Amino acid sequence: QFGAAVAIQIINEKDQSRIFAIISDPAFNNNTGIVYAFEYSEKDQKWSAPQVIASDASEGDNFGASISAYGNALAIGAPNTGNPKVGKVYLFIYDSGNWIDQHAIFPVQASDLSFGSSISMHEDVMAVGSENFAYIYKVTSSSVSPIGAAVPCQSALVVANSDLVVASQMSANSPLITY
């Protein structure tokens, strides 16, 4: 499943811009999952060998099933983490040539499953979909906090911008619009 989720990310550092192609393979190594960051060299006009973005994912977690990038932040979903499969979102910050896991804790509903099945970030807003809810968070370099209550939504696919979050219910014909 190489390419199951992809993102392009441009990070502005001091006197240069770094361009990354983020590509996941959630089926890698018995569905443990892996995410690669390829950096484009404007000088050489080619893509670098990939940097592996590491996690503590285990077999079956599907790390990389969803990804979203904004600024120097990268969110990666592993919706099959845990038993039952409650799911997890990893938040990485790019700093001085490395992707650093922030070990962020995202508050979720106790009865929910497949958290991180979809993710969308814009500025300091992150929307996360799961089997039963759509969640909206404010994300800073030091914390993650919910913006309002989780919104009931079956198999939520989410997209966010600075003013709005749209969650598409897989079993309904009309989107849920909130924020």
Side-chain angles (χ1 to χ4, degrees), residues 62-133:
N62 290 111
F63 177 76
S66 59
I67 57 177
S68 184
Y70 192 87
N72 67 337
L74 175 63
I76 302 173
N80 292 338
T81 299
N83 187 13
K85 295 177 180 350
V86 293
K88 183 173 181 179
V89 170
Y90 295 82
L91 180 62
F92 292 86
I93 301 294
Y94 185 83
D95 186 33
S96 302
N98 296 302
W99 294 97
I100 301 166
D101 188 346
Q102 301 301 294
H103 302 285
I105 297 173
F106 292 82
V108 298
Q109 297 291 319
S111 62
D112 205 4
L113 298 171
S114 299
F115 178 75
S117 58
S118 66
I119 304 171
S120 181
M121 293 175 55
H122 184 79
E123 294 176 352
D124 62 351
V125 174
M126 180 187 300
V128 180
S130 70
E131 187 172 299
N132 299 307
F133 295 93

Side-chain angles (χ1 to χ4, degrees), residues 152-165:
C153 186
Q154 294 287 313
S155 302
L157 297 174
V158 294
V159 64
N161 73 20
S162 59
D163 301 316
L164 171 71
V165 172

